[in-house]
Amino acid sequence: MNIRALIAEDEWPARAELAWLLQREKDVTLCPAAETGDQLLALYDQHRPDVIFLDIQMPGLSGMEAARRLLNEDRGDGNPPLLVFTTAYEDHAVEAFALEAVDYLLKPYDEKRFKQALGRIRKRLADRSPTTAETLRTPASPFSLHRDRLLVDHGEKMVVLSPTSISYAVRVERLLEIHTEKEILQSKMTLQELEDKLREFPFFRTHRSYLVNLEHIREITPWFNGAYNLVLKDENQSRVPVSRSAAKRLFQLLGR
């Protein structure tokens, strides 16, 4: 069974943490993420996820309002999406379960509770008719088919990369240096643009000028005044700074 999951979350750190947790599950495929309730409705119509991890408070259309629309409107599918509400507050639990939510996760995410939620999702989906689910599902989008490829400008040409091959990226004057396992590319895109393209992968902004693949970290060493350095797994054992403000979130993402 393959579970198609969509994240609707307006805060990047929470979105990245949840994406990282989901990517560790072999039976989960991530759809493009939404940052507002309106984006969620549009993306749902395009990708028909099995489950939506839905932040309750988002700009514009709230998570609760978007969930009600998904459940109440006839959108042409035989099974409505399963809902897992995510929030930093407990006071919406009753309202969430009134919408027949599968679970309710509090931020920052506890891995044990996350695993419990996935167990409930798998059970619910297993109870559904696989024939019906596969028949009614729309074809996968080109995005989901090619989400393991990234197109990057490098001088006068375009280079196709696997996101997992990227160790880190750093802003150097007017160009963005993208360090992969085999080469260094110089791109005209901004660091924010690259971060947006990699939002479904375990990348983290350790510093205003650095974006790092969490899977490429070898070790973390203290620096000074609460800051740290990352030592990466490449041949040069590259060192990447971690600002004081980013350090706490980084340790949370790494399970400390």
Side-chain angles (χ1 to χ4, degrees):
M1 176 173 61
N2 181 58
I3 302 171
R4 291 170 56 78
L6 190 153
I7 298 170
E9 166 65 64
D10 64 307
E11 296 182 355
W12 181 86
R15 190 168 64 243
E17 180 181 10
L18 189 51
W20 182 71
L21 288 169
L22 288 166
Q23 285 167 345
R24 298 168 66 188
E25 304 297 322
K26 294 182 180 180
D27 60 346
V28 174
T29 299
L30 280 180
C31 301
E35 297 181 27
T36 67
D38 291 313
Q39 284 183 7
L40 167 60
L41 297 180
L43 288 172
Y44 177 79
D45 284 337
Q46 293 177 40
H47 302 282
R48 291 292 195 271
D50 300 301
V51 59
I52 300 172
F53 289 81
L54 179 57
D55 185 18
I56 288 177
Q57 297 179 330
M58 291 188 293
L61 194 66
S62 73
M64 286 291 184
E65 292 169 328
R68 290 192 186 94
R69 291 196 188 183
L70 286 174
L71 297 176
N72 293 335
E73 295 179 10
D74 180 7
R75 311 182 84 83
D77 42 11
N79 290 311
L82 301 182
L83 301 175
V84 176
F85 284 100
T86 62
T87 182
Y89 309 99
E90 296 183 357
D91 52 358
H92 293 286
V94 174
E95 191 176 1
F97 286 112
L99 292 172
E100 299 184 356
V102 177
D103 213 331
Y104 185 95
L105 296 178
L106 291 176
K107 307 173 192 176
Y109 302 113
D110 176 81
E111 191 163 357
K112 183 178 179 180
R113 281 287 296 114
F114 171 77
K115 292 286 188 180
Q116 290 174 348
L118 274 183
R120 294 188 177 103
I121 291 166
R122 291 183 177 109
K123 186 178 185 305
R124 288 276 192 98
L125 292 175
D127 290 340
R128 291 180 174 180
S129 167
T131 301
T132 302
E134 291 302 318
T135 300
L136 293 172
R137 177 172 292 160
T138 57
S141 71
F143 184 95
S144 62
L145 288 173
H146 303 292
R147 60 187 294 274
D148 59 341
R149 303 174 195 171
L150 178 68
L151 195 63
V152 175
D153 66 284
H154 177 54
E156 299 299 320
K157 62 184 178 181
M158 302 297 290
V159 178
V160 179
L161 292 178
S162 167
T164 58
S165 72
I166 300 173
S167 295
Y168 71 99
V170 56
R171 192 71 186 174
V172 179
E173 296 181 351
R174 295 185 179 182
L175 293 175
L176 183 66
E177 284 191 359
I178 301 174
H179 292 246
T180 75
E181 296 166 336
K182 297 180 179 180
E183 59 186 332
I184 300 174
L185 304 178
Q186 291 186 320
S187 171
K188 294 179 182 178
M189 77 169 69
T190 66
L191 190 61
Q192 184 62 56
E193 287 172 341
L194 179 63
E195 185 177 346
D196 290 341
K197 291 176 182 291
L198 295 171
R199 67 169 59 184
E200 295 181 30
F201 295 86
F203 283 80
F204 181 73
R205 183 81 77 94
T206 63
H207 183 278
R208 64 182 181 181
S209 299
Y210 286 84
L211 183 68
V212 177
N213 187 339
L214 298 180
E215 299 292 340
H216 286 238
I217 298 174
R218 180 189 299 274
E219 60 187 48
I220 303 174
T221 58
W223 196 15
F224 66 91
N225 292 335
Y228 291 83
N229 275 319
L230 301 181
V231 180
L232 303 185
K233 296 178 182 178
D234 57 17
E235 292 182 358
N236 298 322
Q237 295 191 21
S238 301
R239 302 176 73 87
V240 172
V242 182
S243 68
R244 289 176 57 191
S245 59
K248 181 178 179 181
R249 189 63 178 169
L250 175 64
F251 286 128
Q252 288 177 341
L253 288 173
L254 295 176
R256 176 175 169 178

